[in-house]
């Protein structure tokens, strides 16, 4: 469900981490060189001894040899041949097809069912009543040359989990519908109470738009794709190019997933047949007003009919009209009714039992359901996962067995609310927390660049793997290509970037140029990793390849078809194979590593950066507030405004106190020291072999398995206790975009100063527990020397 179109600042905390594993990298380089000089062509792999490394690399080579792009193409064609959203016949057929493939390849595969609240659209209508009449089409007609788009058994475009309703009101244009947009409206005397708002897609997550509209008193919300962000201003539209045509509509969930994802009726527990369910009225994540997505073809007459102030420059899209804010004289009627029943979910869960440590699990997932045909989102990633499973099946037949248990999952119901993954994670929470050593996710995949995100303790492993995966189109490694991209993006600077995003790119560029490990991003939300990372605290990665926003044109529409994907996504499925290699190698290494390949210096340096950002955020807010006070005292805004057009001054903000970062500073220093001690102990141990006797190794791996959970706290984040991770969370006001150290960062963002101090102390406490864990792991390493 990733939204790739102009995601806005991914920072505000989403700053990519830096690598500091200089010591370890140097040690490994020396070891690799020694191994090469010693007559074996095997480098020593992170987590393996020298002789095991050679065996592992041979295994990876035979894995690679079994990946066939023709397979990916055939599976994609079959899976995307009909609409496969939750509740559709093809969704169930796909589940059975995928289960049977796994079984055919030697996996133990089952379908696990859940029953979730899933409103199905019965009827919706949208019309302009005044000053002229217009009825919105709310349909996506077939596209010439794409036969799949002729199929009509899909549901017309709608937003999932908006409220039913029948409302009439004056229209107000609210730009992206984010908090600053409402401040801009207020300064112009525009109030949305009792009105219907129209917002464009982009900047913040879709579900925040109706939520904020409702909080500001609106009675309905329309969301449209402006061609400036997603249409002809970006490139030629489908079928000439890949971009969104005038009739294209972005469907999508508007459930309040920043509160909790998954079934709205069963927060925290699996939605099994007999689960205890909340009454619908008590499901806090379901929206309170009707919401409807429309195309820019349908939006233009509505926007053109608006009066009121002309929209400020940054609010104007690319439609050939003058953008006004309203309210009115445009008057709109919208009505939606749905069937609010339970629908079945079909997760496919496939396992291969581990030969040495079956009680440790490597878990890998990708969702299978799309909004309609879902060729890009999610099936492009799903077929890469199938390729891994088939290749692993062939390795099994040749006699190899993984040391740890492999668990592969084909999730259902991701699009509406991360349903299949969340319910399964909640249902098996205790077992997963005890057993899982990794959750590895992917979603949409296409030609382009590696996009790694996740737990920073895996940053070094990821780099170790992708330095040996070849980019299909340039022949260098996918790591080398990403390194070049980071350096160029830091050099060229995009004037459209928000400051946080620009700073993040500059940092990435600096680290990339330094030549060590590339930084990976932190995870917010937007795909199936959320429950595993943020609710259960499992070590998590999300690994995909992407180009330049090339999916935006058909994202969540009827035009996300096989035909579109093979023209604009990954025509020869070479990047599907690269994805299967990248993910497959990580899976195989996590499955067979002597010592689980976690590394803590990267994490420690990243945390140090986050704390520095928090301090800067508070300092800048303080000086900004002081400056604003002076301007307000001097009536500067009034004097700067055009006296004939009313734009009032901004609201005064409370002064920003000094926050107490002492505990965080202290724990960062300790974290860096503990991490270095662990990495040094590991490097000492790898003098050719990982000289750990079996008992010591077992204890160490058990310790490493639970490390990420030490970053969680049972109390959870303020006002959303489902989210337990104290380092990574989706932002309450970004939706998909990450907020790192969210307890502190969001308190500063929202000017809750007591809470900021309270969560700075709590986050430091959590990090202290993590340090204890590293120290214990280092002792287990050192003790067995
Ligand atoms: Zn998806």
């Amino acid at each position: 469900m990733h939204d790739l179109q102009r995601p806005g600042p991914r920072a505000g905390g989403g700053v990519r981490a830096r690598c500091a594993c200089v010591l370890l990298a140097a040690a490994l380089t020396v070891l690799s060189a020694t191994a090469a000089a010693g007559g074996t062509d095997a480098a020593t792999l992170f987590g393996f001894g020298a002789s095991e490394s050679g065996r592992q690399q041979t295994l990876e080579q035979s894995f690679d040899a079994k990946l066939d792009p023709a397979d990916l193409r055939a599976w994609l064609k079959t899976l995307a041949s009909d609409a496969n959203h939750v509740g559709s016949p093809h969704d169930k057929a796909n589940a059975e097809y995928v289960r049977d493939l796994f079984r055919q390849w030697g996996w133990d595969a089952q379908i696990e069912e859940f029953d979730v609240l899933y409103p199905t659209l019965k009827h919706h209508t949208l019309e302009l009543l005044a000053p002229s009449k217009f009825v919105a089409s709310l349909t996506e007609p077939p596209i010439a040359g794409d036969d799949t788009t002729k199929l009509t058994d899909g549901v017309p475009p709608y937003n999932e989990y908006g409220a039913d309703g029948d409302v009439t009101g004056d229209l107000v244009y609210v730009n992206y519908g984010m908090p600053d947009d409402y401040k801009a409206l207020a300064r112009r005397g525009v109030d949305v109470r009792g009105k219907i708002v129209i917002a464009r897609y982009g900047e913040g997550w879709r579900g925040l738009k109706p939520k904020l509209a409702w909080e500001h008193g609106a009675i309905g919300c329309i969301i449209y794709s402006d061609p400036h962000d997603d249409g002809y201003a970006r490139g030629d539209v489908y079928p000439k190019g890949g971009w969104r045509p005038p009739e294209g509509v972005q469907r999508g969930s508007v459930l309040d997933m920043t509160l909790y994802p998954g079934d709205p009726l069963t927060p925290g527990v699996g939605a099994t047949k007999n689960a205890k369910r909340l009454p619908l009225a008590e499901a806090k994540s379901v929206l309170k007003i009707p919401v409807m997505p429309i195309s820019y073809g349908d939006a233009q007459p509505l926007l053109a009919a608006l009066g009121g102030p002309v929209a400020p420059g940054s609010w104007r899209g690319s439609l050939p009209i003058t953008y006004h804010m309203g309210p009115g004289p445009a008057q709109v009627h919208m009505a939606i009714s749905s069937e609010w029943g339970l629908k079945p979910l079909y997760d496919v869960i496939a396992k291969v039992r581990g030969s040495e440590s079956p009680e440790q699990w490597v878990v890998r997932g990708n969702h299978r359901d799309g909004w309609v045909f879902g060729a890009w989102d999610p099936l492009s990633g799903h077929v890469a996962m199938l390729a891994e499973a088939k290749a692993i099946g062939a390795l099994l037949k040749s006699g190899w067995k993984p040391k740890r248990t492999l668990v592969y999952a084909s999730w259902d119901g991701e699009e509406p609310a991360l349903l299949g993954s969340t319910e399964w994670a909640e249902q098996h929470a205790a077992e997963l927390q005890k057993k899982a050593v990794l959750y590895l996710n992917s979603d949409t995949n296409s030609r382009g660049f590696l996009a790694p995100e996740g737990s920073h303790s895996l940053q070094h492993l990821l780099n170790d793997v992708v330095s040996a995966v070849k980019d299909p189109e340039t022949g260098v490694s996918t790591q080398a290509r990403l390194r070049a991209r980071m350096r160029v993006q830091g050099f060229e600077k995009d004037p459209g970037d928000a400051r946080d995003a620009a700073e993040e790119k500059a940092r990435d560029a600096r680290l990339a140029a330094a030549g060590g490990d590339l930084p990976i991003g932190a995870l917010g939300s937007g795909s199936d990793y959320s429950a595993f990372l943020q609710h259960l605290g499992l070590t998590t990665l999300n690994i995909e390849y992407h180009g330049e926003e090339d999916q935006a044109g058909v994202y969540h529409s009827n035009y996300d078809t096989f035909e579109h994907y093979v023209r604009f996504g990954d025509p020869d499925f070479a990047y599907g194979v690269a994805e299967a290699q990248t993910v497959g190698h990580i899976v195989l290494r996590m499955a067979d590593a002597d010592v689980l390949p976690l590394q803590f210096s990267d994490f420690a340096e990243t945390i140090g950066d986050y704390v520095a950002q928090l301090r800067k955020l508070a300092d800048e807010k303080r000086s900004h507030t002081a400056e604003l006070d002076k301007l307000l005292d001097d009536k500067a805004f009034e004097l700067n405004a055009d006296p004939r057009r009313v734009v009032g001054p901004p609201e005064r903000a409370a002064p920003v106190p000094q926050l107490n970062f002492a505990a965080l500073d202290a724990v960062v220093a300790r974290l860096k020291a503990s991490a270095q001690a662990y990495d040094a102990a590991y490097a000492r141990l790898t003098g050719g072999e990982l000289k750990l006797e079996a008992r010591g190794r077992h204890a160490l791996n058990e310790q490493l398995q639970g490390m990420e959970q030490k970053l969680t706290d049972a109390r959870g984040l303020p006002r959303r206790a489902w989210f337990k991770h104290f380092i990574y969370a989706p932002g309450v006001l970004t939706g998909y975009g990450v907020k790192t150290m969210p307890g502190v960062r969001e308190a500063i963002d929202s000017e809750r100063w007591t809470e900021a101090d309270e969560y700075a102390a709590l986050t430091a406490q959590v990090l202290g527990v993590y340090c204890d864990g590293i120290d214990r792991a280092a002792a287990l390493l050192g003790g067995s020397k």
Side-chain angles (χ1 to χ4, degrees), residues 1-2 367 369 377-378 414-415 443-444 526-527 556:
M1 107 159 52
H2 292 280
H367 75 103
D369 65 301
D377 180 6
E414 187 266 3
E415 292 296 358
D443 200 320
T444 303
S527 195
H556 287 190

Side-chain angles (χ1 to χ4, degrees), residues 9 17 20 33 139 220 225 237 253 298-299 321 339 363 435 543 574 613 618 623 696-697 740:
T139 55
S225 306
V237 303
S253 175
D298 274 344
I321 58 168
E339 190 269 303
V363 188
K435 296 180 174 175
I543 304 290
Q613 288 165 14
S623 53
R697 187 154 59 210
T740 55

